Amino acid sequence: MHELSVAHALITSVQESLTDSHAPVREVHLTVGMLSGVVPEALTFAYEVAAADTALADSVLVIHRSPIVIFCPTCATTCALPDATAFFCVNCGTPSGDVRSGKELTITHLVLDDEPALAGERG
Amino acid sequence: MNEIVNLEKNVLEKNDLLAQNLRNSFAEAQVAVSNWVSSPGTGKTELLQAVLTRAIEQGISAAALVGDCATDNDAKRLAQSGAPVRQIVTEGMCHLEADMIAGHLSDWTETGWSLTTTDFLVIENVGNLVCPSGFDLGEGLRVALLSVTEGEDKPVKYPQIFHSADIIIVTKIDLAAAVEWDVDRAYEALRAVNPDAPIIETSARRGLGIDEVLAHLIAAAPATARQFIGQETP
């Protein structure tokens, strides 16, 4: 259950990215690579636990899965794998451990609440 | 319209930065550091005890940090090799993180132990095939172990950890016939998730493969050091 560690790191990271006067956070968008070792369901559960009693308590974690992309030396191009169980080029079958993406655990963006106090700042 | 704040921020940024700092200090000290991961019961400690014993016999300066949820049983076992050993008790936590390594190395140094006089340092992670995979400890080598008493398909069931390994060690090979271990199926599963890592067959009880494991750990030192020193001063 390392997802609790990940959730704590995630919440700290989001809080550090915001100024004190920000509008409430509605959504936290996270890209979770298929090779990151993080289980989305476990992270969603851990996030709710870790966010309680923080400024993110009412926010929702939105997880976007990203595939494992390997480089195939035979085709000289990259391809996305259907899962993490077979590191072979999907086009020609060449084995390749040359992973170009899929390990990421990245907070892409936040969606802040539509708060009246900030209405004048939006276009 | 709700306000969007773009971040593109790595969640494990703090751990990764700390791990990179550790990696730089390992490179400066010319010490080869390996992170050993496997499920509980694979035989990490038994094999490490044999490897450390062999190293000490040959006058190689080896040391070990060992992580467990509770007890210092493994540190006591590894210390029988004669190598300096330090236990990390995680109090239930399922994996080691870079700040634990940094903290323990700092405390260890205060007791008179020195990284710079160490040829290789082994970090035995908490027995767990899932959680340690995403946490960089600054190691130069990640070693994943699979015992013949586990299912041959375990590598594809836990692909992240076996994929992340630089070296794969098969343990308890002396029991392979007794448990009718299907070597072809196991290698097929290992190669499906990790096409490149060397695979070493070992038996700690019979002394098989110990020298080969030791050679890999030692060989990693200068190359690793050069690689990361090179990155530091391009």
Side-chain angles (χ1 to χ4, degrees):
Chain A
M1 191 58 191
H2 64 301
E3 280 81 3
L4 194 55
S5 300
V6 172
H8 281 300
L10 169 59
I11 287 161
T12 305
S13 186
V14 170
Q15 287 180 321
E16 285 173 357
S17 306
L18 292 166
T19 57
D20 290 339
S21 60
H22 69 84
V25 177
R26 177 178 285 183
E27 294 169 1
V28 174
H29 287 254
L30 184 72
T31 299
V32 175
M34 301 276 281
L35 203 50
S36 67
V38 165
V39 179
E41 293 77 10
L43 183 59
T44 301
F45 175 74
Y47 183 82
E48 286 173 20
V49 174
D53 302 324
T54 77
L56 298 176
D58 295 325
S59 67
V60 174
L61 181 64
V62 182
I63 293 177
H64 307 270
R65 306 253 36 205
S66 59
I68 299 166
V69 174
I70 60 167
F71 179 80
C72 172
T74 306
C75 302
T77 186
T78 56
C79 67
L81 302 180
D83 58 41
T85 64
F87 286 74
F88 302 105
C89 173
V90 295
N91 300 310
C92 74
T94 301
S96 172
D98 185 354
V99 172
R100 297 301 170 93
S101 66
K103 293 178 183 174
E104 55 280 346
L105 204 53
T106 310
I107 309 164
T108 55
H109 63 280
L110 311 174
V111 177
L112 304 189
D113 220 339
D114 189 13
E115 200 180 54
L118 292 174
E121 295 173 20
R122 287 191 298 271
Chain B
M1 276 290 290
N2 292 301
E3 189 185 350
I4 308 284
V5 180
N6 287 314
L7 287 181
E8 291 299 332
K9 204 171 168 191
N10 172 14
V11 174
L12 298 179
E13 184 179 56
K14 277 189 182 154
N15 185 80
D16 290 353
L17 279 172
L18 206 46
Q20 192 54 47
N21 290 342
L22 283 170
R23 187 167 281 121
N24 292 339
S25 61
F26 295 153
E28 275 170 34
Q30 293 278 309
V31 57
V33 179
S34 53
N35 175 9
W36 289 48
V37 291
S38 79
S39 50
T42 303
K44 284 188 297 301
T45 311
E46 189 78 11
L47 181 63
L48 274 173
Q49 193 181 329
V51 171
L52 292 173
T53 301
R54 188 69 55 88
I56 299 298
E57 282 169 4
Q58 296 182 3
I60 298 162
S61 175
L65 272 176
V66 51
D68 281 294
C69 292
T71 82
D72 62 352
N73 292 353
D74 281 5
K76 286 177 183 157
R77 285 171 63 192
L78 292 178
Q80 289 173 24
S81 67
V85 179
R86 191 176 172 93
Q87 180 78 48
I88 303 176
V89 177
T90 65
E91 296 178 352
M93 198 155 141
C94 50
H95 61 277
L96 296 177
E97 296 188 8
D99 65 343
M100 298 174 175
I101 304 301
H104 275 270
L105 288 179
S106 169
D107 292 349
W108 207 0
T109 305
E110 282 177 20
T111 67
W113 175 81
S114 170
L115 195 62
T116 50
T117 56
T118 303
D119 295 318
F120 73 86
L121 170 70
V122 165
I123 302 170
E124 183 184 339
N125 217 310
V126 180
N128 185 319
L129 268 184
V130 181
C131 306
S133 78
F135 293 88
D136 186 3
L137 304 181
E139 73 267 22
L141 276 182
R142 187 173 290 191
V143 181
L145 299 91
L146 173 72
S147 67
V148 303
T149 52
E150 298 170 81
E152 292 90 344
D153 60 346
K154 207 161 221 179
V156 290
K157 283 182 177 166
Y158 299 90
Q160 286 87 2
I161 209 112
F162 284 100
H163 172 81
S164 72
D166 300 299
I167 297 175
I168 293 165
I169 295 178
V170 175
T171 59
K172 310 182 189 180
I173 197 70
D174 53 312
L175 300 178
V179 297
E180 298 178 9
W181 192 61
D182 188 335
V183 59
D184 292 338
R185 249 188 90 214
Y187 272 62
E188 192 181 317
L190 285 170
R191 284 299 174 223
V193 298
N194 193 327
D196 306 315
I199 301 174
I200 307 171
E201 296 182 356
T202 65
S203 164
R205 290 282 164 86
R206 303 272 175 271
L208 300 172
I210 309 300
D211 287 326
E212 200 180 340
V213 173
L214 187 55
H216 274 278
L217 297 182
I218 295 165
T224 311
R226 273 198 302 274
Q227 181 188 344
F228 292 110
I229 288 168
Q231 282 180 2
E232 242 192 338
T233 51

